[in-house]
Amino acid sequence: MTDSLSDKVRSILSDILGLSAEQVAAMDEDTELFGALPELDSMAVAGLLTEMEDRLDIMIDDDDVDGDLFATFGSLVSFARAKVNG
Amino acid sequence: MTHPLHRTYSYGGQQEFCLCFGDEAASRCVLIIPPLFDEMNRTRRMLVSVMRALAERNMRTVLPDMPGCNESLADIANQSLNNWREALCTITAEMGVTHIVSLRGGALIDNVADVPVLRLAPVKGTSLLKTMLRTRIIADKEAGKSSTAEDLVAQSRSRPLELSGYMLSADMVDSLEHSTPADLPFVQEVSLAEINGSPLWLRAEPQDDPAMSAAFATYIARWSAECAG
């Protein structure tokens, strides 16, 4: 997972959660997010969604958002990809 | 270590607090308009480091509490962006402000004086409101309640709406929905890349960034010298 979309998601995670470049670079499809990263709480989730909309030029309906979306890095990138591809 | 001065300004019949650094006789006085609401808390430490660094270069800086925020005794539920612009007008007149630096939502209220303005990461009011509404919707969901952005905005018209711990009036919600940073004659934007910075205001936990503060102070010192009146 090193295409440009997954790199954008990495950079958003780094900016919102204050993770190091090494930490986000090491993320792969199975890296757990929600529950595994103490920084990722509901405040952070709201910031992540708005930042993803701005930087990926997508719209996210709040009804689409549930815990599974943030389960792993792979699930978050797949969600973003589905939105980008409309 | 440079020591702060605690000053006040009057607004709406109350005294509001201002954190100030630097020599009163300095020729340049920079008003710093911080990000709004919870983003303000996440950038305060970085901004105070910028103020200390500017004081060492013989510049005055002023970081006000907006009415209803921080130490203010005013009711946040009575505020709107227009109130805050009026408060900032008072400060620019009372303190002899020569330059303004605004960050994020601060850029929505920086059109208050005929002085040069420098903006960092200006943001539309709708983006701020959307993130705050989203936080509330997620918190409601965790508490087993279902709410939508439309319902919450409609609700704000009859009573103050609690978002991110702030009670927002109908006026405040409405002014956020419709505000964008104003077109100004002497405005310049600085990018995060130019000051080696990261968006601290997005962070889930408040963080400091000494390298960013130092680079931002250097940038402000150079910019304000170039556009000194």
Side-chain angles (χ1 to χ4, degrees), chain B residues 8-17 67-68 71-75 78-79:
Chain B
T8 58
Y9 69 97
S10 356
Y11 182 73
Q14 309 214 33
Q15 293 297 306
E16 302 289 2
F17 179 74
E71 304 294 323
S72 173
L73 296 176
D75 187 352
N78 291 333
Q79 310 303 323

Side-chain angles (χ1 to χ4, degrees), chain B residues 96-113:
Chain B
V97 168
T98 59
H99 297 80
I100 292 176
V101 172
S102 64
L103 288 87
R104 298 284 292 163
L108 301 171
I109 50 174
D110 64 8
N111 51 332
V112 291

Side-chain angles (χ1 to χ4, degrees), chain A residues 42-59:
Chain A
S42 48
M43 285 285 285
V45 164
L48 265 175
L49 295 174
T50 308
E51 221 36 40
M52 282 171 61
E53 285 185 327
D54 286 354
R55 294 200 212 173
L56 305 177
D57 198 20
I58 56 177
M59 289 288 284

Side-chain angles (χ1 to χ4, degrees), chain A residues 14-18 39 41-47 49-51 53-55 59-63 65-66, chain B residues 38 42 104 123 127 130-132 134-135 137-139 141-142 148-149 164 198-200 202-205 207:
Chain A
S14 162
D15 282 345
I16 302 267
L17 304 178
E39 298 89 346
D41 58 11
S42 48
M43 285 285 285
V45 164
L49 295 174
T50 308
E51 221 36 40
E53 285 185 327
D54 286 354
R55 294 200 212 173
M59 289 288 284
I60 301 173
D61 191 331
D62 290 311
D63 292 339
V65 179
D66 59 26
Chain B
D38 53 329
R42 299 186 214 136
R104 298 284 292 163
V123 65
S127 295
K130 192 165 189 185
T131 307
M132 292 169 86
R134 225 169 216 156
T135 309
I137 290 165
I138 293 168
K141 207 179 214 176
E142 285 172 353
T148 67
S164 307
S198 58
L200 296 178
L202 296 178
R203 291 290 152 76
E205 295 293 331
Q207 286 177 342

Side-chain angles (χ1 to χ4, degrees), chain B:
Chain B
M1 179 65 83
T2 316
H3 293 288
L5 295 165
H6 302 283
R7 298 268 305 262
T8 58
Y9 69 97
S10 356
Y11 182 73
Q14 309 214 33
Q15 293 297 306
E16 302 289 2
F17 179 74
C18 270
L19 183 66
C20 301
F21 281 91
D23 189 340
E24 296 275 318
S27 60
R28 280 176 278 166
C29 176
V30 181
L31 169 65
I32 297 180
I33 308 179
L36 308 183
F37 309 112
D38 53 329
E39 289 191 356
M40 170 178 57
N41 303 325
R42 299 186 214 136
T43 48
R44 190 168 176 94
R45 183 170 172 137
M46 185 274 290
L47 286 175
V48 172
S49 301
V50 168
M51 295 170 78
R52 287 185 195 280
L54 289 173
E56 282 164 15
R57 291 164 206 239
N58 197 29
M59 288 172 62
R60 269 170 76 206
T61 47
V62 180
L63 177 64
D65 280 359
M66 301 316 298
C69 299
N70 295 359
E71 304 294 323
S72 173
L73 296 176
D75 187 352
I76 181 73
N78 291 333
Q79 310 303 323
S80 70
L81 293 185
N82 250 341
N83 285 106
W84 286 354
R85 285 188 200 102
E86 281 174 20
L88 292 169
C89 278
T90 310
I91 298 169
T92 53
E94 281 185 13
M95 307 219 177
V97 168
T98 59
H99 297 80
I100 292 176
V101 172
S102 64
L103 288 87
R104 298 284 292 163
L108 301 171
I109 50 174
D110 64 8
N111 51 332
V112 291
D114 192 16
V115 299
V117 176
L118 181 69
R119 287 175 176 159
L120 176 64
V123 65
K124 284 189 228 155
T126 46
S127 295
L128 289 180
L129 185 63
K130 192 165 189 185
T131 307
M132 292 169 86
L133 284 166
R134 225 169 216 156
T135 309
R136 166 74 187 258
I137 290 165
I138 293 168
D140 282 354
K141 207 179 214 176
E142 285 172 353
K145 286 186 288 181
S146 137
S147 54
T148 67
E150 293 74 28
D151 292 346
L152 292 171
V153 170
Q155 181 194 316
S156 77
R157 297 198 183 102
S158 49
R159 59 181 186 277
L161 176 66
E162 191 265 304
L163 294 181
S164 307
Y166 293 87
M167 297 302 288
L168 304 188
S169 65
D171 266 0
M172 182 61 93
V173 171
D174 188 66
S175 53
L176 283 171
E177 259 189 315
H178 297 104
S179 286
T180 52
D183 284 328
L184 297 172
F186 306 110
V187 68
Q188 192 175 318
E189 200 175 315
V190 52
S191 71
L192 273 174
E194 288 173 283
I195 54 171
N196 191 24
S198 58
L200 296 178
W201 50 85
L202 296 178
R203 291 290 152 76
E205 295 293 331
Q207 286 177 342
D208 193 13
D209 187 341
M212 177 179 174
S213 292
F216 196 16
T218 302
Y219 193 100
I220 293 169
R222 195 182 59 229
W223 162 78
S224 60
E226 279 166 7
C227 53

Side-chain angles (χ1 to χ4, degrees), chain A residues 27-49:
Chain A
M27 286 183 172
D28 64 21
E29 195 149 338
D30 300 322
T31 305
E32 289 183 4
L33 302 179
F34 206 71
L37 293 172
E39 298 89 346
L40 187 58
D41 58 11
S42 48
M43 285 285 285
V45 164
L48 265 175
L49 295 174

